[in-house]
């Protein structure tokens, strides 16, 4: 539970306030990026807060297998996925309903933890991914900060969990995986985007979460 989570309470509060504010129409943001090292509690924080706030989580998952000429590309599928986030509350991407939206419960959030490779920053796949995210932001971010969502078209926030790996040797810099390398400045600096950095878990927090120490 949240009380036992080894993440600073201020960080948890920042995520809670963002999600609650967006869903309730008090905040005009649409995309939350949680970045930091792997294992610092980003995903766990989101899942526990979703349970606390009564929100369903719909996850984007990269399709299995290769993409051939007769199937839609990963980029096309992702564009379709994020494009419909602005129109429906809960999106189901299970195989049995072909991604049909579910209108029974409109309180939900979209969680993205799988991303295209950033090894080639000029690849069509990475470019298409960024285009799809920007399209979502342009389509859903209110022009005015005072705009309010209607009850019939509730806001579905998108949260990206980015586990960064920073490699500092000259031969490995290009292999580093960062939010900036993945998304670029247009997404990171968009008015509908919020970035929250998760720091490494402090030893004192870890000790408090381990009984007997």
């Amino acid at each position: 539970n949240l009380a036992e989570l080894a993440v600073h309470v201020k960080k948890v509060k920042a995520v809670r306030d963002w999600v609650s504010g967006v869903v309730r129409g008090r905040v005009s943001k649409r995309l939350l990026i949680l970045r930091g090292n792997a294992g610092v509690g980003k995903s766990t924080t989101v899942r526990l807060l979703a349970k606390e706030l009564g929100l369903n989580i719909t996850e984007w998952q990269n399709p299995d297998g290769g993409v051939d000429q007769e199937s839609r590309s990963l980029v096309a599928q992702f564009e379709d996925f994020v494009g419909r986030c602005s129109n429906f509350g809960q999106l189901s991407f299970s195989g049995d309903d072909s991604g049909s939206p579910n209108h029974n419960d409109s309180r939900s959030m979209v969680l993205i933890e799988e991303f295209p490779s950033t090894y080639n920053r000029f690849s069509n796949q990475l470019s298409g991914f960024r285009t799809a995210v920007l399209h979502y932001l342009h389509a859903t971010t209110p022009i005015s900060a005072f705009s309010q969502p209607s009850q019939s078209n509730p806001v579905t926030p998108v949260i990206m969990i980015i586990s960064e790996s920073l490699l500092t040797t000259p031969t490995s810099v290009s292999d580093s995986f960062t939010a900036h390398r993945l998304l670029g400045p247009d997404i990171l600096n968009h008015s509908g985007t919020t970035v929250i950095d998760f720091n490494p878990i402090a030893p004192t927090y870890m000790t408090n979460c381990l009984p007997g120490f």
Side-chain angles (χ1 to χ4, degrees):
N1 58 55
L2 288 171
E4 299 175 346
L5 187 63
V7 176
H8 198 287
V9 292
K10 291 184 178 179
K11 201 71 66 173
V12 176
K13 183 179 184 301
V15 179
R16 179 192 290 111
D17 290 348
W18 188 94
V19 174
S20 178
V22 171
V23 171
R24 296 177 182 178
R26 298 196 304 261
V27 178
S28 60
K29 302 293 185 177
R30 294 296 179 263
L31 171 64
L32 176 62
I33 298 170
L34 304 183
R35 64 184 181 185
N37 295 338
V40 296
K42 301 183 295 296
S43 297
T44 303
T45 298
V46 170
R47 295 181 185 281
L48 290 176
L49 285 175
K51 183 178 180 180
E52 176 189 275
L53 298 172
L55 300 175
N56 294 304
I57 293 179
T58 302
E59 297 185 57
W60 162 259
Q61 295 182 340
N62 290 329
D64 296 328
V67 178
D68 56 36
Q69 295 181 350
E70 295 181 356
S71 65
R72 296 187 302 165
S73 68
L74 181 150
V75 171
Q77 293 183 57
F78 185 80
E79 287 180 341
D80 179 58
F81 181 84
V82 297
R84 289 183 294 146
C85 290
S86 61
N87 298 318
F88 301 103
Q90 181 182 0
L91 301 178
S92 174
F93 250 67
S94 57
D96 57 348
D97 60 8
S98 302
S100 300
N102 184 341
H103 298 280
N104 294 330
D105 189 349
S106 60
R107 291 175 57 81
S108 64
M109 67 172 69
V110 172
L111 181 63
I112 302 175
E113 296 186 87
E114 296 187 9
F115 306 99
S117 171
T118 61
Y119 182 77
N120 181 356
R121 288 182 292 175
F122 303 101
S123 69
N124 291 334
Q125 189 177 69
L126 182 59
S127 176
F129 175 82
R130 292 176 175 177
T131 298
V133 174
L134 279 172
H135 183 270
Y136 167 78
L137 287 171
H138 293 329
T140 62
T141 303
I143 298 177
S144 169
F146 301 100
S147 301
Q148 298 292 326
S150 65
Q151 294 298 318
S152 61
N153 190 25
V155 175
T156 301
V158 175
I159 300 179
M160 290 188 182
I161 306 293
I162 302 178
S163 295
E164 297 183 313
S165 59
L166 300 175
L167 306 178
T168 57
T169 61
T171 57
S172 61
V173 171
S174 61
D175 294 330
S176 295
F177 184 82
T178 65
H180 186 273
R181 189 175 180 86
L182 172 68
L183 303 175
D186 290 342
I187 294 175
L188 291 176
N189 298 326
H190 194 280
S191 61
T193 300
T194 298
V195 179
I196 297 179
D197 292 305
F198 271 57
N199 302 318
I201 299 175
T204 53
Y205 273 85
M206 184 64 73
T207 301
N208 292 335
C209 293
L210 296 175
F213 286 85

